[in-house]
Amino acid sequence: MIDADFLYELQRFDSELKRKVNSIFQGEQETSETGEGLIFADHRKYVAGDDTDLIDWNLYARTEEYYIKRYEEERNLTTHVILDASGSMEYGEGDDNKFDYAAKIGLGYAYLAAAENNDFRFSVFTDTFERIDSGRSNEGEVLGLIDTVNETEPDGRAEFGRALSEYAKTIGSRSLVLIVSDFIGDLEGIQEGIDSLADHHLRLVCTLSSEELDLPATGDTILEGIETETNVRTYVGNRTKQQYEERLDDHLGAVEEHAESRGAEYVLVDTSDDFFDSFSRAWPRN
């Protein structure tokens, strides 16, 4: 279960958030469309039908020609959190539970976005996605999301290509998109999902337990499928351990390589590490 107290520790990231927002989204929080916003854009000549209230009379006094002022409409930065709620995320006990650990990273993003009066969306996915926030984008909303996440039981199989591609269609403007997952699944599907979101500032946080990263050599073992009903009895010795870790490294390496080839950032976190250290590394570098 996630306790809300961890959110208040994140307040120390406020100054870092402001720096990142300025560097990542500079020039992107404003649309190219014009309207009666707060930011002056330019002038254009008056034509019949234009709002006479927009005429720049000071400019008329100098030129004796009618020009209207054009303004850019401001747009808030939107942070999209997409959290893997498939069965494999249920692994781990207590503070090392993958789903809870990953959810806290996503909730931390949402909390800091709200602290800067920016919008956020929060969704979970398996074979498709489900948006679980109500659209209020404030601290109270984040606290409510904690209750919703605590009531969520990870189950089923993650269909990265389908779920992320469907989600990408809901994003109307260039945004910060965070995917928190163990990225255990079909590589082609994961790559398809990454491609569908590559037009955004995409951040992948791969969340794994220490036992997944460093498989214990336990001898005779029954491996229970979390996302399937298949159980396998095998002998986990040093050779099996080495083969497993090589396959895992190859898979995660391919995910990271593909992400970076699309301009996305990828970071791996271990649930046995201090959460705030992991969150600091999970925060965007650019």
Side-chain angles (χ1 to χ4, degrees), residues 216-269:
T218 54
D220 286 324
T221 304
I222 296 178
L223 302 178
E224 299 181 359
I226 297 178
E227 295 188 358
T228 68
E229 296 180 357
T230 303
N231 294 338
V232 177
R233 184 166 187 167
T234 187
Y235 182 86
V236 181
N238 289 330
R239 182 178 179 183
T240 304
K241 170 183 166 69
Q242 181 179 357
Q243 291 174 334
Y244 163 84
E245 292 176 356
E246 287 175 354
R247 289 187 63 183
L248 180 64
D249 287 344
D250 288 345
H251 175 78
L252 296 181
V255 173
E256 179 177 10
E257 181 179 359
H258 190 81
E260 292 183 348
S261 75
R262 298 300 187 267
E265 293 184 76
Y266 169 96
V267 64
L268 173 65
V269 298

Side-chain angles (χ1 to χ4, degrees), residues 47 53 75 101 109 122 140-141 146 233:
V47 295
D53 289 339
R75 181 177 71 226
Y101 200 94
Y109 266 69
F122 201 105
E141 176 76 357
I146 291 177
R233 184 166 187 167

Side-chain angles (χ1 to χ4, degrees), residues 82 123-131 162-164 166-168 170:
I82 312 173
S123 299
V124 295
F125 78 96
T126 52
D127 58 337
T128 186
F129 76 90
E130 178 186 3
R131 183 175 174 183
R162 175 184 173 185
L164 298 180
E166 287 179 350
Y167 189 90
T170 71

Side-chain angles (χ1 to χ4, degrees), residues 20-21 24-30 75-82 109 113 118-121 167-179 196-203 263-265 284 286:
K20 295 299 184 182
V21 167
I24 296 174
F25 290 90
Q26 185 175 14
E28 294 191 16
Q29 296 191 48
E30 302 165 8
R75 181 177 71 226
N76 286 339
L77 157 66
T78 301
T79 297
H80 296 259
V81 178
I82 312 173
Y109 266 69
N118 286 313
D119 294 334
F120 67 82
R121 295 182 183 178
Y167 189 90
K169 296 175 184 177
T170 71
I171 305 178
S173 59
R174 189 166 168 84
S175 303
L176 172 62
V177 180
L178 170 71
I179 305 171
S196 70
L197 292 162
D199 290 338
H200 302 281
H201 293 282
L202 181 58
R203 183 76 167 162
E265 293 184 76
N286 299 313

Side-chain angles (χ1 to χ4, degrees), residues 22-36:
N22 289 335
S23 63
I24 296 174
F25 290 90
Q26 185 175 14
E28 294 191 16
Q29 296 191 48
E30 302 165 8
T31 67
S32 60
E33 299 176 356
T34 56
E36 295 183 45

Side-chain angles (χ1 to χ4, degrees), residues 84 86-88 125-128 155-160 184-185 227-228:
D84 186 348
S86 63
S88 65
F125 78 96
T126 52
D127 58 337
T128 186
D155 189 29
R157 177 173 289 184
E159 299 289 347
F160 290 88
I184 301 299
E227 295 188 358
T228 68

